[in-house]
Amino acid sequence: MRLHRLDITAFGPFGATQSVDFDALSAAGLFLLHGPTGAGKTSVLDAVCYALYGTVPGARQSGQGTSLRSDHADPATRTEIRLELTVGGRRLEITRQPPWERPKKRGLGTTLDKAQTWLREYDATGGAWKDLSRSHQEIGEEVSQLLGMSREQFCQVVLLPQGDFARFLRADAGARGQLLGRLFDTQRFADVEKRLAERRKATEARVRDGDSALLADAHRMQQEAGDAMELPELSPGEPGLAEAVLTAAAVARSTAREHLTVAHCRLTAAESAQFAADRALAGVRELARLQGRFAEAGERAVRLEERAGDHRAAQARMERGRQAAAVAPALELRDAAEAGHREAAAAEARTRALLPETFAGAGAAGLVTAARRAAEELGGLEAARRAERRLAEVVDERGRLDRQERDDEDVLREAAGWLADWDTVRAGLETRIDSAQEAATRAEQLAVQRDPARRRLAAARLRDELGRDTDEAQRRALASARRAVDARAHWLDLKEQRLNGIAAELAADLTDGAPCAVCGSTEHPAPARKFAGHVDREAEERALAAYQHADEQRAEDERRLATVREALAAATAEATDTPTGQLASEADELEQEYARARRGASDLHAAQEELRLAERERERRLAGRQQAEVRAAARLTRKDSLDTELAALEEELDTARGGAVSVAARAAQLERQAALLTDAADAARAADDTARHLKDADARLADAAFRAGFDTPQDAAAALLDDTAHRQLQRRLDDWQSEEAAVRAVLAEADTAAAAQQPPADLEAAERDAATAARRLRDAASARDRADRCRGELDRLSARATEGVRRLAPLREEYERVARLAALTAGTSADNERRMRLESYVLAARLEQVAAAATVRLHRMSSGRYTLVHSDDRTGRGRSGLGLHVVDAWTGRERDTATLSGGETFFASLALALGLADVVTDEAGGVRLDTLFIDEGFGSLDDQTLDEVLDVLDSLRERDRSVGIVSHVPDLRRRIHAQLEVAKGRSGSTLHRRGV
């Protein structure tokens, strides 16, 4: 990179336009930029940095925008920096104008113009400048890409700052690391450390979650196992937790199995005891049963003896009934014959009563003949019956056809009335749909306009508020500017008065015999006297402090005014010049129109649904009308056929009915008459037969009673037992015999008789013993179940814990690996012996390169005495990696850079700065730096060292490189012929080229 020309207008201390021809200055290779303190030497370097990056270096970065403007500039002159340079083989021109608060062209007050930037490139072929860009961002990216350096790197490499490298030389590892980190951009290595730390925290959290779940299972196992399990006193994430939990779980499972075995043994013993108790209880119950059985048999024998007389009477009654049983068939036959005769006679009387009087004296044969004639006539009416049923069906069908005709007429009438209004209804619904769709489209359009309208309204309100704030800020800025100008003028007046009376102030310190500080004379014949109103140092300093305070207040008010104006410009650009009230009314009108459109659009779905239902109803009505017309045509043909058939059936039935109302009535008459005649004939024959049977039965009954030993049939009937009485008497006899046999059998049993000889059985004591044994068995079974459940639950939880440990093992390994890497890169690991962070390790390598490059020049500046070396030793309990020592060739000892003298510190710092510039240049891609600036520090060198330093700097001119030295040391003016002088004055500083 080579600088050609710099034009400065209204920038810093330069009120008018000043130009620097770097080509002329660089021709000598080494040039001097000098001037009194505060004249603006550093401002020239600030202008170069601002032209390239849009900001100024270091602590002066706060001086951006309007505060960069010179206070000496004419109000109508705009601040501008134009730099012409060659970089990467391309000749470029960069022009920057910071924000400018200029007077309004119309009216009073000022207005703020935004910052502007231009980038042009010289076209050697056409011999003219070509515009490239006017975008701040594009120009900044282009410059950074061509230079390959950030602003911080440029300020350290090209504009070697005063005092910065002396502090860097003597700084601790932390401060040194911050500077190197900015220059070499090692943030990616810090990001690696951060990423590893974050991964360590994340995996540690996941391991802790897994250990927490493992501890939760362990607590549940402890709840199941009770005192048989002791949990490890470890927290989630601590090493050995999984092994401790699994070990404790194994011990708990073993203990649970032992408890289960003991419970099994106790259950077996309880079962044996219960079996013995149940067997004893069964023996006692059997003894009690036998003793009760024997006592009950004795009581039953006594009751049998008491009923013996009744038993003998029942046996006699049973024998007489057995004799009468031989006559029973004859009695039953006679009774049946008598009953049959009475029933037949009654039936004959009933049937004859129902016959006409013409058949009252007819016999059975005459009745049969009359019934046959009626049946023959009834058979001839069957065809008439079928005709009558068909007539009813025809009449019914004819009525249904009439009802269908009336219904179809109603359908046709309703369809005609509904379809007559269809066009009107459809047109109305389509109109509603079109209106709703238009409203929906309008609502979508208005919705897009709502947010811009709201933003414009908010911007307009902010514009009005900021307008009021701008006026107030402008009044305050003008007032503070006037106060600063007045304070500066007052300070300069006092300073001039003090300089005019400085002789009297110096004379006040003169003593006889002491040399004068001005002329060196020991005689003071006429010392100057202070006049009235003399201004002393304290008064001047108070005026200077007042001016500085006023100037700071002016700068603060101007910054506040610039901020308010930028906000006002942004708000005005958003809201334009439209009044706030108009924007508010437009926004309200837009909201109301949007609400109306939304209400109109909400009817779209309902109208579409109504149209769909109406079209479906129309189709249904048309189909119904068509079907009704088809049915009417078919019905007309059917009605004619039915009318013809109806006339033929009525003619046939008139003949068949005779005098009856209908064929059915006539048939019913004949059926009744035939049935009555048949019944009467059957009843007459039955009465004759039953009379003969009754006479025969009386003769057989008298003969059977005589043979059975009864005098009359009536005696035999009295002795006869019916089935119920016979069963009851036989049951009484059988019960007595069964009871007697049972009593004898019980009394004859050997075990029952033996039990009766024993003491009474104690059943309650045996039941108590059995209940106690059953309770103990239940307790033992419950204990066994609890032990088995505990063992199963522990097995399940242990298996889940083992599975959880297995699943967690890869994550735990990952955590241990990431934790080791994070600790190693963070410098906290025991494996990292020097406790060096990864970023520090990379910076240490860069520092070694810087020290090696700096030693080449330091060796020449110190006449071969000093060498800079990198040290990675730890200091105290801190971390190592960025130490910097100097090796003294005279003593052969390595010592700290803080032990160097002031001059040694300067040229060591200068060598370090030049070495750092070389390394950063290589790091930036080898961009050639043909112009360098070194700011201050030469006043601390003796003549010999100054010559050696200048020789080193002069060697930088090799390959057409130029070096500018910024200093106010007078001796440098004699040694360096090419000079750029900065002169200050009341109207601002000016630049003058000397020696070229």
Side-chain angles (χ1 to χ4, degrees):
M1 179 196 72
R2 174 176 292 278
L3 304 182
H4 299 292
R5 182 180 181 84
L6 175 67
D7 295 328
I8 307 173
T9 302
F11 180 83
F14 305 104
T17 300
Q18 304 293 322
S19 299
V20 180
D21 187 353
F22 285 109
D23 287 337
L25 292 173
S26 300
L30 192 66
F31 64 90
L32 176 67
L33 177 62
H34 69 93
T37 301
K41 299 185 296 297
T42 305
S43 296
V44 175
L45 306 185
D46 290 347
V48 173
C49 183
Y50 184 80
L52 292 173
Y53 294 96
T55 57
V56 295
R60 299 184 296 280
Q61 289 186 41
S62 59
Q64 303 298 310
T66 57
S67 61
L68 292 178
R69 179 174 175 79
S70 175
D71 294 333
H72 303 285
D74 184 86
T77 302
R78 178 160 190 172
T79 302
E80 181 180 279
I81 304 296
R82 179 181 290 108
L83 176 64
E84 185 179 338
L85 74 160
T86 297
V87 58
R90 300 168 60 186
R91 185 153 184 165
L92 303 176
E93 181 188 80
I94 305 173
T95 304
R96 292 188 185 269
Q97 294 179 349
W100 179 38
E101 186 178 342
R102 63 170 177 80
K104 292 182 177 180
K105 296 180 180 179
R106 298 179 182 178
L108 301 177
T110 60
T111 184
L112 183 66
D113 286 347
K114 295 182 180 180
Q116 298 185 23
T117 306
W118 294 270
L119 177 63
R120 300 195 303 170
E121 183 176 2
Y122 184 74
D123 186 1
T125 303
W129 291 94
K130 178 177 62 176
D131 292 336
L132 295 182
S133 176
R134 299 190 64 174
S135 169
H136 300 293
Q137 183 176 0
E138 291 180 358
I139 295 174
E141 293 176 353
E142 182 73 15
V143 171
S144 298
Q145 182 176 2
L146 289 172
L147 294 177
M149 291 181 286
S150 64
R151 182 184 61 81
E152 290 79 7
Q153 291 176 322
F154 179 83
C155 294
Q156 293 290 342
V157 174
V158 180
L159 309 180
L160 304 184
Q162 55 184 9
D164 280 6
F165 280 91
R167 288 191 295 272
F168 178 77
L169 185 68
R170 297 174 176 175
D172 57 9
R176 198 171 286 142
Q178 291 179 359
L179 176 60
L180 292 176
R182 291 196 302 271
L183 291 179
F184 293 107
D185 190 18
T186 57
Q187 182 61 36
R188 60 187 183 277
F189 300 101
D191 292 340
V192 170
E193 298 176 22
K194 181 179 178 182
R195 175 58 179 165
L196 287 173
E198 292 175 350
R199 283 193 60 188
R200 179 186 61 77
K201 291 180 181 178
T203 53
E204 182 181 8
R206 293 170 62 188
V207 169
R208 286 181 178 273
D209 293 340
D211 287 348
S212 299
L214 184 62
L215 278 179
D217 289 340
H219 282 295
R220 286 194 287 272
M221 284 189 282
Q222 187 184 39
Q223 292 175 359
E224 291 292 337
D227 298 334
M229 181 178 179
E230 294 184 0
L231 289 181
E233 296 182 357
L234 295 173
S235 300
E238 293 188 22
L241 175 64
E243 292 77 6
V245 170
L246 294 180
T247 301
V251 173
R253 291 199 307 274
S254 177
T255 304
R257 286 187 171 84
E258 292 176 359
H259 289 172
L260 179 59
T261 302
V262 173
H264 271 300
C265 295
R266 290 178 178 173
L267 178 60
T268 302
E271 288 175 346
S272 300
Q274 188 197 24
F275 179 73
D278 289 343
R279 187 170 54 189
L281 177 60
V284 172
R285 284 177 174 169
E286 182 62 19
L287 178 60
R289 187 186 67 79
L290 293 175
Q291 290 177 347
R293 180 179 176 82
F294 188 82
E296 183 184 1
E299 295 175 356
R300 290 162 63 187
V302 172
R303 288 196 297 270
L304 286 174
E305 187 63 28
E306 292 176 353
R307 297 201 312 269
D310 294 337
H311 176 62
R312 288 190 292 272
Q315 287 178 332
R317 180 72 179 89
M318 178 61 73
E319 180 62 26
R320 188 169 177 80
R322 191 178 297 113
Q323 294 174 355
V327 187
L331 285 173
E332 293 176 359
L333 183 58
R334 197 271 173 189
D335 291 339
E338 184 179 9
H341 178 67
R342 285 197 301 271
E343 183 180 354
E348 181 183 9
R350 287 196 304 274
T351 56
R352 285 186 177 274
L354 297 175
L355 293 175
E357 294 181 356
T358 57
F359 299 104
L367 293 175
V368 170
T369 302
R372 186 180 302 112
R373 287 196 303 270
E376 291 174 355
E377 185 178 358
L378 180 61
L381 292 178
E382 184 62 30
R385 287 181 178 177
R386 288 193 300 271
E388 189 175 37
R389 286 194 298 271
R390 176 58 184 162
L391 177 63
E393 293 174 358
V394 170
V395 172
D396 183 57
E397 184 177 359
R398 188 67 168 75
R400 284 198 307 272
L401 291 176
D402 293 339
R403 289 193 297 273
Q404 289 179 1
E405 184 177 7
R406 289 192 296 272
D407 294 341
D408 287 343
E409 289 176 355
D410 294 339
V411 169
L412 293 173
R413 185 169 52 257
E414 292 178 1
W418 193 91
L419 292 173
D421 299 333
W422 163 244
D423 293 336
T424 303
V425 172
R426 180 177 61 186
L429 291 175
E430 290 176 349
T431 301
R432 284 178 57 192
I433 292 173
D434 294 340
S435 300
Q437 289 177 341
E438 292 177 358
T441 303
R442 181 58 178 164
E444 293 177 356
Q445 296 173 351
L446 294 175
V448 176
Q449 301 174 9
R450 290 173 67 204
D451 290 340
R454 292 174 178 172
R455 288 196 299 269
R456 289 186 61 196
L457 178 59
R461 291 170 176 169
L462 180 61
R463 178 197 62 196
D464 297 344
E465 181 179 356
L466 290 175
R468 295 188 294 270
D469 294 344
T470 301
D471 296 339
E472 177 61 24
Q474 185 174 358
R475 286 195 296 272
R476 293 180 62 183
L478 291 175
S480 61
R482 285 194 297 270
R483 287 194 297 270
V485 170
D486 295 342
R488 187 172 186 275
H490 177 63
W491 167 60
L492 293 176
D493 291 342
L494 291 182
K495 185 174 183 179
E496 185 175 3
Q497 293 177 20
R498 184 188 173 204
L499 290 176
N500 293 333
I502 195 67
E505 187 174 334
L506 295 174
D509 296 331
L510 294 177
T511 57
D512 293 337
C516 176
V518 178
C519 64
S521 175
T522 57
E523 297 180 358
H524 318 294
R529 303 295 180 183
K530 293 182 180 180
F531 55 85
H534 174 73
V535 177
D536 57 6
R537 183 189 185 94
E538 183 179 357
E540 181 187 355
E541 291 179 347
R542 285 198 303 271
L544 176 60
Y547 162 63
Q548 291 174 343
H549 176 71
D551 192 57
E552 291 175 357
Q553 183 63 41
R554 176 196 60 78
E556 176 65 25
D557 291 341
E558 288 180 351
R559 283 194 296 272
R560 185 181 298 109
L561 177 59
T563 302
V564 174
R565 283 178 171 174
E566 288 179 0
L568 176 59
T572 304
E574 177 72 21
T576 67
D577 296 332
T578 306
T580 305
Q582 180 180 347
L583 291 177
S585 62
E586 291 176 355
D588 292 340
E589 183 179 355
L590 182 61
E591 289 293 337
Q592 294 174 4
E593 187 175 357
Y594 175 71
R596 289 193 298 272
R598 285 289 303 272
R599 286 194 299 271
S602 63
D603 189 43
L604 176 60
H605 178 72
Q608 291 175 339
E609 184 65 18
E610 288 184 19
L611 178 59
R612 185 181 63 82
L613 294 177
E615 290 176 345
R616 184 182 300 175
E617 178 66 18
R618 175 177 174 270
E619 294 175 356
R620 188 185 66 81
R621 297 261 185 184
L622 290 173
R625 183 177 67 181
Q626 183 178 3
Q627 292 173 1
E629 292 173 351
V630 171
R631 286 196 301 271
R635 190 168 48 245
L636 182 61
T637 303
R638 183 59 179 167
K639 285 173 65 176
D640 294 340
S641 176
L642 291 177
D643 290 341
T644 303
E645 186 179 2
L646 182 62
L649 290 174
E650 287 179 349
E651 182 179 356
E652 180 181 355
L653 290 176
D654 288 341
T655 304
R657 281 194 294 266
V661 178
S662 63
V663 174
R666 177 60 180 162
Q669 291 176 0
L670 293 175
E671 287 176 356
R672 178 176 175 78
Q673 182 178 350
L676 292 176
L677 290 172
T678 302
D679 292 342
D682 292 340
R685 288 194 298 269
D688 294 342
D689 293 339
T690 55
R692 289 193 301 270
H693 292 163
L694 179 58
K695 185 176 180 180
D696 294 340
D698 286 337
R700 285 193 294 271
L701 176 58
D703 183 58
F706 177 76
R707 285 196 301 270
F710 293 99
D711 294 335
T712 62
Q714 287 75 19
D715 293 339
L720 185 64
L721 293 173
D722 57 15
D723 292 340
T724 302
H726 183 272
R727 285 194 301 271
Q728 292 177 353
L729 185 59
Q730 185 64 45
R731 187 165 48 251
R732 286 172 56 192
L733 295 174
D734 294 341
D735 291 343
W736 196 92
Q737 290 176 355
S738 299
E739 183 70 12
E740 183 181 21
V743 169
R744 287 177 180 174
V746 171
L747 295 178
E749 293 175 353
D751 53 352
T752 303
Q757 302 301 323
Q758 296 181 11
D762 191 355
L763 185 59
E764 294 182 359
E767 290 177 346
R768 283 197 301 271
D769 294 342
T772 301
R775 185 178 66 256
R776 291 175 180 172
L777 177 61
R778 288 194 299 274
D779 294 342
S782 299
R784 193 276 311 274
D785 292 341
R786 285 195 300 272
D788 187 55
R789 185 170 58 255
C790 177
R791 189 264 310 161
E793 186 66 13
L794 287 176
D795 288 344
R796 185 184 66 81
L797 293 174
S798 296
R800 188 166 72 180
T802 303
E803 178 63 19
V805 171
R806 185 189 64 77
R807 288 197 308 269
L808 196 61
L811 180 62
R812 195 182 301 278
E813 292 176 1
E814 180 186 359
Y815 163 66
E816 293 174 355
R817 182 173 62 255
V818 172
R820 285 196 303 271
L821 285 174
L824 187 63
T825 57
T828 59
S829 172
D831 298 333
N832 193 336
E833 296 179 356
R834 297 187 179 278
R835 299 185 63 194
M836 186 183 297
R837 294 173 50 243
L838 177 61
E839 185 180 12
S840 300
Y841 178 79
V842 176
L843 292 177
R846 293 290 188 268
L847 186 57
E848 287 183 356
Q849 298 173 356
V850 171
T855 296
V856 175
R857 296 183 176 89
L858 178 61
H859 201 264
R860 292 182 58 188
M861 292 179 186
S862 63
S863 300
R865 179 178 181 182
Y866 293 118
T867 302
L868 280 175
V869 294
H870 162 250
S871 173
D872 56 5
D873 294 334
R874 294 173 57 182
T875 56
R877 300 185 62 186
R879 297 180 179 180
S880 61
L882 297 179
L884 196 62
H885 290 173
V886 63
V887 177
D888 191 344
W890 291 2
T891 63
R893 302 285 297 276
E894 180 179 325
R895 55 193 175 98
D896 193 274
T897 54
T899 61
L900 296 174
S901 66
E904 293 172 339
T905 299
F906 168 72
F907 64 68
S909 302
L910 180 59
L912 186 64
L914 294 174
L916 183 62
D918 292 341
V919 175
V920 172
T921 300
D922 295 338
E923 182 75 15
V927 177
R928 177 178 173 82
L929 302 178
D930 297 319
T931 306
L932 296 177
F933 294 92
I934 301 175
D935 192 356
E936 282 296 353
F938 294 88
S940 60
L941 303 179
D942 57 30
D943 291 342
Q944 180 181 355
T945 305
L946 182 59
D947 289 337
E948 294 173 347
V949 170
L950 291 178
D951 289 341
V952 172
L953 295 178
D954 193 55
S955 67
L956 296 177
R957 294 187 300 169
E958 299 174 357
R959 292 179 297 178
D960 200 24
R961 176 183 282 183
S962 62
V963 179
I965 297 176
V966 183
S967 178
H968 53 70
V969 176
D971 193 35
L972 290 176
R973 301 177 196 172
R974 296 191 301 271
R975 296 172 181 264
I976 302 174
H977 300 289
Q979 300 177 9
L980 180 65
E981 181 183 4
V982 184
K984 64 179 181 179
R986 286 183 174 272
S987 60
S989 298
T990 57
L991 296 175
H992 306 280
R993 199 169 68 234
R994 311 289 186 188
V996 292

